């Protein structure tokens, strides 16, 4: 065993000592010849004859050298280098071939590497918390809400479960910070004491919250690293100082480490700015029906995630049993604890799977092209290879040499491809598609480079193996004579087969791109139910310290709208609690007058919005029946509400809903409301989503359940005739006139928001479309190449035919016919493949079915037309063949 | 001037190289000369096979080489047996005797 190891080490060592070993062999040989010569001279030979006799007896210096090298086992390694140099020289001597092959490979390998980087960053890398696979998200679900949030009472119930090492809950909000600079609106997370320990994160400075602070909701806060640097200059003495949030003084007790984010923020560019205690402590009066908490837990060591999930489910069942009023049977309430990783990354999987599939097809097409190129090149090298065979190179040697060539091609292609991949990832980052978690971490790291390298090897062998084997099979003598080996016909079949594969794969890609493109266009063209152009939006939160009463709040928004309407160009202005597409909406239950909810039934619910009258007008939400909310619906007026069509049809299917009355659930103000009108549904969560039941409550009348507080955090909407972006300064000025210390956040046009919501469909359509376009070009090149090859092969035959009187067009038709067959078979196979494969993307489509005939037909026609063109061009050359010269052409 | 050279099988060449080098450290030419001498000029080593054999045996760990001074006073690569080489030599000698003994039996008709 050790001798074997020593042997291999010796072999490897010759990589470095090769030259010296060569010299030693030479020297040894020289000495031998000298000694032999001297002995001969002593035996009576003349010096010259002695020298020749010595050489003769030695028997072939070159063969000796070769044999010695073989015996040393060095042959393999040195041959490798030899082949490598030879391969590179071959590429330099054939720049056309090299260029086409390298560009093809660069595109294929580059695109694959780029997609791999994305998949690696998003799916493969572990979450940025210690032992992330032990983390689970704890949440409830019920009829109509598969992914809901916990209520405070539920959180307390689950917190004490044995299966968890720790559990933390949090909610998000905003707060205005003043002092130490401009007023700024901060994104705030309200966290329970268990959150940081669950994520095993310790503050970089200071500490987290104590249990007492958490229970009492003390005014302490922990800053994010970013906020600490940005607003407080990263100064060391920050701990213990006071920060003014929403008018109150809060003490800074800690600063979190750089780069820390809550799981919800893994996709976005920034973390929350500050973290304050959630302030929920066990008590009997905790609300059970307001579901707004996110929760995470770390499973105890030794407990499986399935066990934890089961325990959480059992706890949910207990809740339903113990509080039947809060969990009617029809609701189907249950609790679950899926793995956090799955929750965060799961949504990205379908899109990534699609991209991986698409790029795999592209790579297949690229490899088929290069294989065809190699096969074509092998034709031209028959003589060269025949010579090598005649000189004694074995088949394996030839195959190895050709494989070295193709792998070299692969590696060079991969090197170029890395540049392509880098460009592609930069472009991807610039697009900043939202909702793809951790996309910001994408980059060309070592694993991407390793992937590119590995792919280079694999593709090099894949497209090089068959051509290499074919080339080595050729009869050496035939090759030397330069004749067309009989393998030519076999090779023709292989090449045609490759083109058929290319065409089929290209059809699938085109079909996919077409479907995604239509999806995007359908989404972009879909009517969301409101105006999208000419709107400027902003987020404003009124601090309760300076706006203690509900009248202060509604007066502010009314005055602001008034001021804005007076600005030049402004048609209307209003406010809404949650701007469609920009923030998520919640639902509220209600009890219809005269329609008590039966035992075990779910009470009616609808997504609610608090709106000022100007909002509905600014957004141009269509009225269907009755009237819109207007200035009549003040705080002291009877409770009014607008419902959407879906709500009306669902709960008042017969007759009009106008005039019907119901009471808002949970004690939300204004309590008993009368439906004054029915409006059209709007798309809220995303464009193209199915309509949900919605209702609009007048802002002046609305009060939160439990606290009875008015809606202080509102999204402002301003409708202007001119360019909305130009209104920004006027908007800020109007706010400043009313309250100079009030920050205005997230000023953006509605168009920007709509574009952002379309970002993912647009991205998918663009990427797959790009792949499809490249595939189209590569397939056309493939068809062209094979047709040209056929033309070249049969030049003589055509010459004969035309000399015998056949017309040019007939010859043309013959040639094109063969290529057309290739294209047609490829199209048929591709269509079949599309019908099967596009089903996989059904969930990503909107407005088209996976088997959409228009798209499939268009893809086939496009590819067919381009393929036909690619076949006709070289075929026309065939018709211009001069019969006499083709007959004379070398055999 | 040279006696007819008998072409040797590769296996027996290895055996003879090992036998020669058991006694002394020699360079390639010296091995060839030694074999000629010991065989009383019957066996002339095909020199094209000699060095490949030497390198092969060295690769197998049976011989070791070093650069030194030859009996003629020149710088030369000198070969000698390793311990493994000695073992190998014994094995090959046993095999050879068995083989030739068997052939003898056949030739003399049993």
């Amino acid at each position: 065993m050790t001798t074997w190891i020593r042997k291999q080490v010796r072999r490897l060592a010759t990589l470095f000592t090769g030259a010296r070993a060569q010299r030693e062999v030479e020297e040894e040989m020289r000495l031998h010849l000298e000694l032999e010569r001297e002995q001969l001279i002593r035996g009576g030979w003349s010096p010259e004859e002695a020298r020749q006799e010595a050489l003769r007896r030695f028997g072939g210096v070159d063969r000796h050298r070769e044999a010695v090298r073989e015996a040393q086992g060095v042959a393999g390694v040195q041959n490798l280098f030899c082949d490598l140099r030879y391969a590179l020289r071959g590429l330099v001597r054939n720049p056309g071939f090299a260029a086409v092959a390298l560009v093809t490979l660069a595109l294929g390998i580059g695109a694959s590497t780029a997609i791999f980087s994305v998949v690696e960053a998003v799916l493969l890398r572990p979450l940025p918390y210690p032992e992330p696979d032990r983390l689970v998200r704890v949440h409830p679900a019920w009829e109509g809400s598969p992914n809901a949030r916990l209520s405070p009472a539920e959180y307390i119930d689950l917190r004490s479960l044995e299966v968890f090492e720790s559990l933390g809950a949090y909610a998000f909000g905003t707060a205005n910070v003043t002092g130490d600079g401009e007023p700024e609106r901060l994104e705030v997370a309200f966290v329970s004491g268990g959150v940081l320990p669950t994520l095993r994160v310790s503050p970089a400075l200071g500490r987290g919250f104590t249990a007492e602070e958490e229970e009492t909701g003390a005014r302490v806060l922990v800053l994010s690293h970013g906020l600490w640097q940005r607003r407080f200059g990263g100064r060391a003495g920050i701990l213990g100082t006071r920060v003014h949030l929403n008018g109150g003084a809060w003490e800074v007790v800690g600063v979190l480490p750089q780069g820390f984010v809550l799981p919800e923020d893994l996709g976005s560019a920034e973390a929350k700015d500050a973290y304050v205690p959630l302030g929920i402590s066990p008590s009997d009066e905790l609300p059970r029906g307001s579901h707004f908490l996110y929760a995470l837990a770390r499973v105890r060591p030794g407990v499986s995630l399935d066990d934890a999930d089961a325990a959480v489910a059992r706890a949910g069942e207990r809740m339903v049993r113990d509080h039947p009023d809060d969990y009617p049977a029809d609701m189907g309430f249950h609790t679950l604890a899926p793995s956090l990783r799955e929750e965060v990354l799961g949504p990205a999987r379908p899109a990534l799977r699609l991209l991986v599939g698409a790029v795999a097809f592209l790579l297949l097409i690229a490899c088929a092209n290069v294989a065809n190129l190699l096969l074509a090149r092998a034709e031209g090298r028959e003589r060269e290879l025949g010579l090598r065979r005649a000189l004694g190179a074995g088949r394996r040697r030839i195959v190895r040499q050709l494989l070295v060539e193709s792998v070299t091609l692969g590696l060079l292609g991969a090197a170029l491809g890395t540049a392509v991949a880098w460009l592609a990832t930069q472009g991807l980052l610039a697009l900043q598609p939202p909702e793809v978690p951790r996309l910001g971490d994408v980059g060309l790291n070592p694993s991407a480079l390793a992937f590119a390298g590995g792919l280079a090897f694999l593709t090099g062998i894949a497209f090089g193996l068959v051509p290499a084997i074919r080339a080595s099979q050729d009869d050496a003598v035939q090759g030397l004579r330069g004749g067309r080996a009989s393998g030519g016909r076999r090779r023709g079949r292989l090449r045609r087969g490759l083109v058929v594969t290319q065409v089929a794969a290209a059809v699938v890609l085109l079909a996919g791109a077409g479907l995604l493109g239509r999806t995007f266009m359908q989404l972009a063209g879909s009517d969301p139910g409101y105006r999208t152009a000419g709107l400027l939006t902003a987020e404003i939160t009124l601090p309760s310290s300076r706006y203690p009463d509900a009248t202060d709040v509604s007066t502010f928004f009314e005055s602001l709208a008034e001021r804005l309407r007076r600005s030049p160009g402004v048609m209307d202005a209003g406010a809404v609690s949650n701007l469609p597409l920009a923030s998520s909406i919640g639902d509220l239950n209600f009890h219809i007058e005269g329609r008590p909810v039966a035992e075990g039934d779910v009470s009616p619910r609808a997504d609610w919005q608090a709106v000022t009258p100007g909002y509905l007008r600014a957004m141009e939400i269509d009225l269907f029946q009755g009237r819109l909310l207007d200035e009549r619906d003040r705080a002291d007026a009877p409770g009014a509400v607008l419902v959407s069509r879906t709500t009306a049809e669902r709960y008042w299917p017969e007759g009009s809903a106008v005039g019907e009355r119901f009471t808002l659930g949970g004690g939300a103000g204004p309590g008993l409301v009368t439906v004054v009108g029915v409006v059209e549904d709007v798309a809220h969560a995303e464009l193209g989503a199915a309509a949900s039941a919605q209702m609009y409550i007048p802002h002046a009348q609305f009060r939160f359940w439990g606290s009875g507080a008015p809606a202080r955090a509102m999204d402002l909407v301003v409708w202007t005739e001119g360019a909305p972006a130009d209104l920004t300064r006027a908007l800020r000025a109007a706010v400043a006139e009313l309250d100079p210390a009030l920050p205005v956040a997230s000023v953006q046009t509605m168009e920007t928001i709509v574009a952002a919501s379309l970002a993912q469909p647009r991205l998918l359509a663009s990427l797959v479309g790009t792949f499809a376009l490249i595939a189209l070009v590569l397939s056309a090149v493939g068809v062209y190449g094979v047709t040209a090859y056929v033309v070249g092969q049969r030049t003589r035959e055509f010459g004969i035919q035309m000399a015998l009187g056949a017309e040019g067009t007939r010859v043309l038709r013959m040639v094109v016919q063969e290529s057309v067959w290739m294209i047609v078979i490829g199209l048929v196979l591709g269509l079949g493949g599309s019908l099967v494969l596009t089903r996989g993307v059904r969930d990503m489509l909107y407005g088209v079915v996976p088997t959409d005939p228009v798209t499939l037909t268009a893809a086939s026609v496009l590819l067919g037309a381009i393929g036909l063109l690619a076949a006709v061009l070289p075929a026309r050359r065939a018709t211009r063949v001069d019969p006499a010269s083709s007959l004379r052409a070398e055999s | 001037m040279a006696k007819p050279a008998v072409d040797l099988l590769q296996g027996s060449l290895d055996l003879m190289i090992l036998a020669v080098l058991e006694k002394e450290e020699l360079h390639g030419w010296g091995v060839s000369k030694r074999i000629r001498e010991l065989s009383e000029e019957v066996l002339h080593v095909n020199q094209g096979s000699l060095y490949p054999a030497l390198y092969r045996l060295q690769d197998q760990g049976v011989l070791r080489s070093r650069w030194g001074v030859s009996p003629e006073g020149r710088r030369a690569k000198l070969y000698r047996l390793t311990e493994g080489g000695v073992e190998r030599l014994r094995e090959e000698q046993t095999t050879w005797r068995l083989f030739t003994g068997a052939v003898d039996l056949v030739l003399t008709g049993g």
Side-chain angles (χ1 to χ4, degrees), chain A residues 241-259:
Chain A
T241 63
R242 296 200 179 274
V243 170
H244 292 269
L245 279 188
N246 280 355
W250 295 64
E251 185 190 341
V252 178
V253 297
V255 176
L256 287 172
Q258 187 173 26

Side-chain angles (χ1 to χ4, degrees), chain A residues 153-170:
Chain A
E154 288 157 3
Y155 152 63
I156 294 293
D157 285 346
L158 292 169
R159 190 169 68 166
S160 48
L161 282 182
E162 275 295 305
V163 287
F164 294 139
E165 192 180 288
S166 61
L167 184 149
Y170 48 96

Side-chain angles (χ1 to χ4, degrees), chain A residues 145-363:
Chain A
S145 294
N147 211 340
R149 296 181 236 162
L150 288 176
S151 68
E154 288 157 3
Y155 152 63
I156 294 293
D157 285 346
L158 292 169
R159 190 169 68 166
S160 48
L161 282 182
E162 275 295 305
V163 287
F164 294 139
E165 192 180 288
S166 61
L167 184 149
Y170 48 96
F172 300 124
T174 57
N176 300 330
V177 62
T178 49
D180 284 303
E182 284 278 307
E184 192 186 332
R185 205 171 89 141
L186 300 180
E187 302 285 333
V188 175
F190 299 84
V191 297
S192 75
V195 171
L196 292 182
T198 300
L199 293 174
R200 295 235 184 110
V201 172
S202 322
L205 287 183
R207 59 173 178 84
F209 309 127
T210 64
E212 202 200 322
E213 281 163 348
E214 197 211 327
E215 308 254 313
T216 59
R219 289 191 170 187
V220 288
L221 84 148
V222 173
L223 301 177
S224 74
H225 182 95
L227 183 65
W228 178 49
Q229 293 289 325
R230 203 175 67 230
R231 194 177 178 86
F232 303 102
R235 62 173 187 256
I238 189 73
L239 296 181
T241 63
R242 296 200 179 274
V243 170
H244 292 269
L245 279 188
N246 280 355
W250 295 64
E251 185 190 341
V252 178
V253 297
V255 176
L256 287 172
Q258 187 173 26
F260 168 75
V261 289
L262 288 171
E264 279 68 24
D265 293 329
L266 279 173
S268 63
E270 302 134 25
K272 297 291 175 276
D273 299 309
Y275 301 80
V276 300
L278 185 58
I280 292 181
S281 54
S283 91
D284 287 332
E285 286 147 27
L286 280 181
R288 193 165 277 277
S290 338
H291 298 98
F292 61 94
L293 290 173
Y294 298 96
L296 288 175
R298 184 175 283 278
V299 178
R300 206 177 276 283
V303 177
S304 76
L305 294 194
D306 286 333
D307 289 341
D309 188 57
V312 167
R314 283 194 299 270
E317 287 163 17
R318 276 199 299 276
M319 287 182 217
V320 173
R321 271 200 310 269
D322 296 343
H323 305 273
D325 293 329
D326 292 299
Y327 305 112
D330 257 33
M331 190 179 176
F333 178 89
H334 55 281
T335 47
L336 18 154
S339 107
L340 181 65
R341 189 197 169 76
E342 221 13 71
E343 292 281 298
V344 171
L345 305 179
R349 280 225 181 96
L352 285 180
R353 232 178 265 153
L354 167 68
L355 288 177
V356 168
V359 94
F361 270 86
L362 182 63
L363 193 61

Side-chain angles (χ1 to χ4, degrees), chain A residues 535-536 568 570 720-732 747 749:
Chain A
L535 291 176
L536 186 65
V570 174
T720 170
E721 269 183 329
D726 298 338
L727 202 56
T728 309
R729 218 150 30 114
L731 176 62
R732 288 192 190 276
V747 180
T749 66

